[in-house]
Every structure is written in C-alpha cells, then in structure tokens.
Amino acid sequence: MPTATGHTKAILGSKVKGTSVYNTAGDKIGHVEDVVLDKTSNNIMYAVLGFGGFLGIGDDHYPLPWQSLKYDTNLGGYRTNLTADRLQGAPLMFSRSGRVRY
Amino acid sequence: MPTATGHTKAILGSKVKGTSVYNTAGDKIGHVEDVVLDKTSNNIMYAVLGFGGFLGIGDDHYPLPWQSLKYDTNLGGYRTNLTADRLQGAPLMFSRSGRVRY
C-alpha cells in the first residue's frame, strides 16, 4: 500500500493480506491471501492470490510475483497485468501446517 | 519453520507471525510480530520482534534481519544471535495504518 506521503517503501506483511487484486481492466480477480517467504534468503518468493474463502478447502490459490502487484489508490487494491490463463498454469498446494508444495 | 521432510525453503508469512524468538542462551526474548516487505522489490526488509501484546500501544518493536532467525525445532521457535542491546539501538515506530516510520 502506498503511504499518504509516499516517503516509505515498507509495508507490513499483515497489511497486505486480504487486499483485493484487480486485472488491467479493473475487474476484481481475487485477493492476496498470504505471502510466501524464503527461509534461507531475504527474498519474497511470491504473493498468493486467493479466490473465495481464506485457505478453505476447495479454494484455488495461485502464485503471483510480488513485484507484479502495483497498488492502485482509485481501486483500493492491487492491480496486476497477469491474466487468469497464466495464473492457472501454475497451481499451488498448501498443507494445513502452512507448508507450500509445488 | 522447517518442514517435516526439509524439502522446501518456503514459508507462509502468516505462519511466521507469533512464533517465539530466543537468544543464544535459549531465553525467550519476544515473538515475531510481523514482517516488513519492500513494495518496490522482492526484498524482505526485516522481521519485527515484539514484546508483550500484538501492536498494542506502549509495546516495543524492534527490527530483526530476517536471515538472523534460525528455526530451532527443540525450542519450537526462532533463535537469534542478536543481543537486546543491539536491538534497542534501532527502534521502530508503527502508525495505525501499518506504515513503518524510522
């Protein structure tokens, strides 16, 4: 999220979760369900795009490159130029313990 | 958190929050309250070490290099070799909107 004054590039992970994600046409395609972090480096591996409930059974979750999300103040959410077709080519699975399986 | 099989280096941001943090002596010094992400790159800027409540007024919060946290399965939490003196030299302030101020 951008700040009112735009003087910081930092955002809390907890503030990202739940934020709506829109495509380039301005249609809501889902929300940021979580972020996936690399335990062995300082890298954010990706954001997880969710549809429907939050990590509920049967929900679909797709990885989004973190840097593909640009906050749009008019929409009040992130805009991404990735298409549903591209996202659905890379499914993710989550275990209940929060582990990520490819 | 390590996985049972140790075959992934990925962890969900939401699973990190609330995990206890211990010093090298094995004493609990706080918990991971949140992570701070760079909106403009794929960098995890740091983890936030909290004491007491969760972002309550009057709580202290200190930045911890993400890579300084090593999960210890015996302790059931992260171990860091940073000392309280070093942490307290770098205070953080949070606004209610989740913005981070230095």
Side-chain angles (χ1 to χ4, degrees):
Chain A
M1 261 173 270
T3 66
T5 56
H7 70 292
T8 177
K9 60 182 183 178
I11 184 75
L12 285 173
S14 59
K15 294 290 172 184
V16 174
K17 193 172 174 176
T19 304
S20 294
V21 178
Y22 299 84
N23 63 16
T24 51
D27 302 317
K28 181 175 174 178
I29 57 173
H31 59 268
V32 179
E33 189 138 313
D34 216 327
V35 288
V36 178
L37 309 177
D38 187 333
K39 289 179 286 191
T40 64
S41 76
N42 279 334
N43 268 352
I44 303 165
M45 297 179 74
Y46 40 81
V48 180
L49 179 69
F51 313 98
F54 278 74
L55 288 183
I57 293 169
D59 289 339
D60 286 330
H61 309 97
Y62 296 100
L64 275 180
W66 171 249
Q67 287 181 279
S68 78
L69 297 173
K70 305 299 178 196
Y71 196 79
D72 185 315
T73 52
N74 292 323
L75 290 169
Y78 292 104
R79 192 187 280 271
T80 183
N81 59 6
L82 294 179
T83 64
D85 283 353
R86 283 189 59 186
L87 293 172
Q88 287 168 12
L92 264 188
M93 293 287 289
F94 287 96
S95 71
R96 301 188 76 177
S97 67
R99 278 182 271 158
V100 181
R101 294 182 297 222
Y102 297 87
Chain B
M1 263 171 267
T3 66
T5 57
H7 71 292
T8 177
K9 61 182 183 178
I11 184 75
L12 284 173
S14 58
K15 293 290 172 183
V16 173
K17 193 171 173 177
T19 304
S20 295
V21 177
Y22 299 85
N23 63 16
T24 52
D27 302 317
K28 181 175 174 178
I29 57 174
H31 59 266
V32 179
E33 190 138 312
D34 216 327
V35 288
V36 178
L37 308 178
D38 187 333
K39 289 180 286 191
T40 63
S41 76
N42 279 334
N43 268 352
I44 303 164
M45 297 180 74
Y46 40 80
V48 181
L49 179 69
F51 313 99
F54 279 72
L55 288 182
I57 292 168
D59 289 339
D60 286 331
H61 308 98
Y62 295 101
L64 275 181
W66 171 248
Q67 287 180 279
S68 79
L69 298 173
K70 305 299 179 196
Y71 196 80
D72 185 315
T73 52
N74 293 321
L75 291 169
Y78 292 104
R79 192 188 278 272
T80 184
N81 59 6
L82 294 179
T83 64
D85 284 354
R86 283 190 58 187
L87 293 173
Q88 288 170 11
L92 265 187
M93 293 287 289
F94 286 95
S95 70
R96 301 187 78 176
S97 67
R99 277 182 272 159
V100 181
R101 296 183 295 223
Y102 297 88

